[in-house]
Amino acid sequence: MTRHHDIPCPFCNGQASFVYTMDTYGIYQCRTCGTGQASPMPDEAALKNFYNNFRPNLSLNNLTRLLDSAHRMFRESSLPQGKNLKMLDIGGGGGYCCKAFELLDYGESYYVDLDPYSCEFAKNKLKLERVYNCDALELAEKIDTKFDFIHCRHLIEHLIDPANFLIKTMSLLSKNGLFVMVCPNGASREYLAYLKDTRMKNRIDLISSSNSWSKLKTWLTLFRGAMNHGIDPPRHLWAITPDGVQRLMESYGFKCATATRLITDQTHSIFYKPDKNFSSRIQRLIARKFFAPRRGACHLVTTIQHADNY
């Protein structure tokens, strides 16, 4: 039998223990903050091969819905006062939030993404002027500015070193600025209500076959808390928890607040279209009333500020 040694958790400096296997990856969970991680991490060649020809769902037909979602997100985030603000949107979405920021007259936006296709869409279709096809942390070498609002949606769970990314990104934030990050809530059990969902079935099947477990044992393992919601390497390498991200940011002297949102929340589940049949309504009711209240809903929304602006 293979012996799996504990590995360090970069979010709280605790120790993460082996829980189960997913294909060729071990899934570990921190005993202190609950953060999940894949090990070993894929190398650059494996990631490049996985994301080769990856195309996000970018279309002007989505613009109205995504603008409405961004507008709600801005209101909920309580942006800094005044106009002429500067926004940085890091990855994920092709620039819709930037477009909404400018259309709503908050100020000027900057969009940065490693994906050239997303940058091309932002520049040529959305007509954004400040588009950068590079790593977000390289942006400081290209422009000399601080941002009043930094937005990062469903990116951090894909990164090899998300903790380092968060700390370095804060160096781009102005003194009175606001950093809002959205990712899957690794502690959530809400998704367990959606057993009919194809992704949920596939995940149960993969964990079951990878560990030679019955479907019942797999389901009970997830239900009891060895969850790591959203983790599916090499796509999602981390299951980030509210406790983990809060411990990390506060250890560096930043102020951090976390909230969770249901998978049906139109601000964060932009493309979600609920089925109207009876069984689907029952699933949503179970998710909302039974699973989500215990460890939070599926989306983790984290707000980070400098300590002297809280």
Side-chain angles (χ1 to χ4, degrees):
M1 180 180 293
T2 301
R3 178 172 175 81
H4 298 276
H5 297 281
D6 289 355
I7 60 177
C9 172
F11 282 82
C12 71
N13 293 320
Q15 292 294 307
S17 300
F18 175 80
V19 183
Y20 51 74
T21 298
M22 290 187 76
D23 196 13
T24 61
Y25 296 91
I27 305 302
Y28 290 73
Q29 186 174 24
C30 179
R31 298 197 298 269
T32 302
C33 71
T35 296
Q37 59 180 296
S39 181
M41 287 288 168
D43 58 27
E44 290 186 9
L47 286 177
K48 184 176 181 180
N49 181 63
F50 178 78
Y51 285 109
N52 189 33
N53 295 320
F54 175 80
R55 290 292 179 264
N57 183 16
L58 302 177
S59 170
L60 288 177
N61 294 331
N62 298 325
L63 187 57
T64 299
R65 174 182 292 184
L66 291 169
L67 288 180
D68 289 343
S69 173
H71 192 185
R72 289 193 297 270
M73 185 267 292
F74 294 148
R75 291 200 307 266
E76 292 177 8
S77 299
S78 300
L79 296 184
Q81 295 296 313
K83 294 188 176 181
N84 301 317
L85 302 177
K86 291 185 177 181
M87 172 191 179
L88 172 63
D89 190 14
I90 305 175
Y96 292 108
C97 284
C98 285
K99 188 68 174 178
F101 190 83
E102 295 187 351
L103 287 176
L104 294 168
D105 202 27
Y106 283 107
E108 62 183 30
S109 66
Y110 295 70
Y111 179 71
V112 58
D113 201 303
L114 282 174
D115 176 30
Y117 180 78
S118 294
C119 290
E120 180 183 348
F121 177 83
K123 185 175 182 178
N124 297 329
K125 299 297 184 180
L126 296 182
K127 306 301 181 184
L128 295 176
E129 295 182 10
R130 291 163 289 274
V131 177
Y132 298 86
N133 183 201
C134 65
D135 185 286
L137 301 181
E138 296 174 8
L139 198 61
E141 302 173 5
K142 298 177 181 293
I143 58 174
D144 182 20
T145 190
K146 297 286 187 180
F147 296 96
D148 304 294
F149 179 56
I150 298 178
H151 177 246
C152 180
R153 180 181 180 274
H154 288 295
L155 170 69
I156 192 169
E157 63 271 21
H158 297 263
L159 303 179
I160 295 288
D161 190 357
N164 186 50
F165 167 82
L166 283 175
I167 299 305
K168 287 189 174 181
T169 298
M170 287 300 293
S171 68
L172 302 173
L173 191 68
S174 68
K175 179 181 178 181
N176 297 316
L178 190 71
F179 177 19
V180 174
M181 179 191 73
V182 181
C183 66
N185 172 19
S188 179
R189 292 180 182 172
E190 182 195 351
Y191 70 104
L192 290 173
Y194 297 98
L195 291 176
K196 291 172 60 179
D197 184 89
T198 301
R199 288 170 297 183
M200 185 61 187
K201 287 181 178 179
N202 290 342
R203 186 174 187 223
I204 292 288
D205 288 344
L206 179 59
I207 295 174
S208 177
S209 62
S210 298
N211 298 274
S212 299
W213 290 351
S214 67
K215 299 292 178 61
L216 177 60
K217 180 177 180 179
T218 302
W219 196 91
L220 288 175
T221 299
L222 299 176
F223 178 75
R224 287 168 180 162
M227 38 45 165
N228 297 326
H229 166 54
I231 200 165
D232 60 345
R235 178 171 170 262
H236 289 179
L237 303 173
W238 296 84
I240 295 167
T241 65
D243 188 32
V245 72
Q246 194 146 356
R247 285 172 181 264
L248 172 71
M249 301 314 296
E250 290 179 354
S251 72
Y252 279 85
F254 301 113
K255 293 297 183 179
C256 178
T258 60
T260 65
R261 297 289 183 269
L262 292 165
I263 200 170
T264 54
D265 185 311
Q266 291 296 299
T267 300
H268 302 293
S269 297
I270 300 169
F271 298 106
Y272 179 79
K273 293 182 179 179
D275 292 332
K276 296 182 179 180
N277 59 55
F278 179 75
S279 63
S280 295
R281 291 201 299 269
I282 292 298
Q283 280 185 313
R284 291 194 292 273
L285 178 64
I286 293 172
R288 185 174 69 253
K289 297 294 187 180
F290 181 70
F291 285 109
R294 283 162 171 75
R295 293 197 176 199
C298 274
H299 294 291
L300 174 61
V301 182
T302 302
T303 301
I304 310 168
Q305 294 175 287
H306 292 291
D308 55 358
N309 180 41
Y310 200 78

